[in-house]
C-alpha cells in the first residue's frame, strides 16, 4: 500500500484509543498553526493490514498509529508517546500543548511522568481488561479480575492527581497538554473494560467531561472516517 500526500503528515491509524491520541493532537495543531495538516489512512486491523510488509517497513512493531513526516524526508515515527513528543518538538514551537524544558522544567517533567504513566500503565492494563472481557476465546476469571482491578487502581491514581486540578500537568490547576491527550482516550472508553460509570472517581469524571467539551477532541475521535 502506498499513499501520495500533499500534506505534511500522513497518519496511519484506526479508531482505537491509541489512534485517537494522535488524531486529537493533530487536530489541535491544525487549528493552532497555519500549514499543519495531515492525511489519515485507515488501517484495517481485522485483516492484519498493520502486519503487511509495507507497514512493517514504517513500524517494525506492526501496530497503529504510525506517522510519516513528509517535510523531513518521509521520516516515520511509531509508539504514541514518541509520536506526540515528536509532533510537539517539530510543530508546536509555541509550546501551546506542552512545556518548555528550559524555562519550565518542573511542568515539563510532570507532563512526561503522566505521559509515561499512561503509556506503561493505563493503556496496557485497560487494554488487557478489555481483551479478557470482550475478545478472549476462553473465559479466564482471574485475568478479567486482575486487569479490571488494576485499571481501577490506576483511575484512583488519576483521581488523586486531578482533585482540585483541571489538567494533569502544569502549575496551579494545570494546562491542557500532551499528558491529557495521551491519557484521556483510554479513560473515555472505560465501559469496554467493564467499568460502567466513573462515579467512584468524580475528579476523573469531570476531567473526562472537560476533554469531551473541546471541539477538536470531538473531531479527533472521529478519525479515521
Amino acid at each position: 500500500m502506498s499513499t501520495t500526500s500533499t500534506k505534511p503528515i500522513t497518519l496511519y491509524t484506526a479508531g482505537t484509543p491509541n489512534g485517537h491520541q494522535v488524531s486529537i493532537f493533530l487536530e489541535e495543531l491544525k487549528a493552532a498553526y497555519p500549514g499543519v495538516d495531515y492525511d489519515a489512512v485507515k488501517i484495517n486491523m481485522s485483516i492484519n493490514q498493520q502486519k503487511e510488509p509495507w507497514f512493517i517497513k514504517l513500524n517494525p512493531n506492526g501496530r497503529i498509529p504510525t506517522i510519516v513526516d513528509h517535510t523531513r524526508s518521509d521520516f516515520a515515527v511509531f509508539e504514541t508517546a514518541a509520536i506526540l513528543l515528536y509532533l510537539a518538538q517539530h510543530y508546536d514551537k509555541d509550546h501551546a500543548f506542552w512545556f518548555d524544558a528550559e524555562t519550565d522544567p518542573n511542568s515539563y517533567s510532570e507532563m512526561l511522568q503522566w505521559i509515561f504513566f499512561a503509556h506503561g500503565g493505563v493503556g496496557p492494563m485497560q487494554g488487557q481488561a478489555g481483551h479478557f472481557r470482550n475478545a478472549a476465546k476462553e473465559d479466564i476469571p482471574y485475568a478479567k479480575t486482575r486487569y479490571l482491578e488494576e485499571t481501577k487502581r490506576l483511575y484512583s491514581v488519576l483521581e488523586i492527581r486531578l482533585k482540585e486540578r483541571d489538567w494533569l500537568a502544569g502549575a496551579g490547576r494545570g494546562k491542557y497538554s500532551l499528558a491529557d491527550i495521551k491519557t484521556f482516550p483510554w479513560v473515555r472508553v472505560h465501559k469496554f473494560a467493564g467499568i460502567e460509570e466513573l462515579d467512584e472517581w468524580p475528579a476523573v469524571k469531570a476531567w473526562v467531561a472537560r476533554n469531551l467539551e473541546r471541539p477538536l477532541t470531538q473531531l479527533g475521535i472521529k478519525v479515521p472516517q
Side-chain angles (χ1 to χ4, degrees):
M1 182 178 185
S2 62
T3 300
T4 301
S5 176
T6 58
K7 297 178 181 178
I9 296 162
T10 298
L11 167 64
Y12 297 93
T13 191
T16 70
N18 284 336
H20 289 156
Q21 292 163 31
V22 178
S23 55
I24 288 170
F25 189 32
L26 283 167
E27 290 295 335
E28 294 282 1
L29 290 172
K30 275 179 61 178
Y33 295 96
V36 176
D37 204 353
Y38 72 104
D39 280 317
V41 177
K42 183 177 182 178
I43 298 300
N44 188 344
M45 295 191 295
S46 68
I47 59 172
N48 279 331
Q49 197 171 20
Q50 74 279 11
K51 306 296 185 184
E52 293 179 2
W54 70 269
F55 192 89
I56 295 298
K57 288 180 180 179
L58 301 176
N59 179 352
N61 197 33
R63 296 286 192 272
I64 64 94
T66 299
I67 66 166
V68 174
D69 186 345
H70 304 296
T71 73
R72 302 189 66 251
S73 302
D74 293 338
F75 188 74
V77 189
F78 69 97
E79 290 296 325
T80 53
I83 294 170
L84 295 177
L85 290 167
Y86 174 92
L87 290 171
Q89 177 186 359
H90 292 284
Y91 291 96
D92 187 6
K93 299 299 186 181
D94 297 332
H95 292 90
F97 305 102
W98 62 318
F99 303 90
D100 190 321
E102 297 298 323
T103 62
D104 194 358
N106 290 354
S107 294
Y108 178 77
S109 178
E110 286 179 355
M111 181 192 73
L112 290 183
Q113 290 170 54
W114 290 105
I115 286 174
F116 296 150
F117 170 81
H119 194 79
V122 177
M125 296 302 102
Q126 187 172 324
Q128 291 295 330
H131 171 79
F132 283 105
R133 180 174 184 265
N134 300 288
K137 295 181 179 179
E138 58 182 296
D139 184 19
I140 307 176
Y142 172 77
K144 290 196 291 188
T145 299
R146 170 182 169 79
Y147 290 113
L148 175 61
E149 292 306 311
E150 179 61 8
T151 300
K152 290 180 177 180
R153 186 191 73 80
L154 295 169
Y155 283 15
S156 295
V157 175
L158 291 171
E159 179 72 14
I160 292 169
R161 178 59 173 174
L162 288 164
K163 282 184 178 178
E164 301 182 359
R165 293 182 61 90
D166 294 326
W167 308 109
L168 287 169
R173 299 194 65 88
K175 180 181 90 170
Y176 179 73
S177 75
L178 300 185
D180 306 287
I181 294 171
K182 172 68 190 164
T183 313
F184 155 76
W186 277 107
V187 184
R188 169 181 168 262
V189 295
H190 55 87
K191 290 185 178 182
F192 188 77
I195 299 173
E196 290 300 318
E197 303 293 342
L198 294 174
D199 295 343
E200 185 177 342
W201 307 277
V204 173
K205 184 176 182 178
W207 168 78
V208 168
R210 277 191 293 277
N211 278 276
L212 287 170
E213 288 169 358
R214 298 180 67 88
L216 298 173
T217 295
Q218 289 294 327
L219 287 178
I221 61 179
K222 292 182 174 71
V223 175
Q225 294 295 325

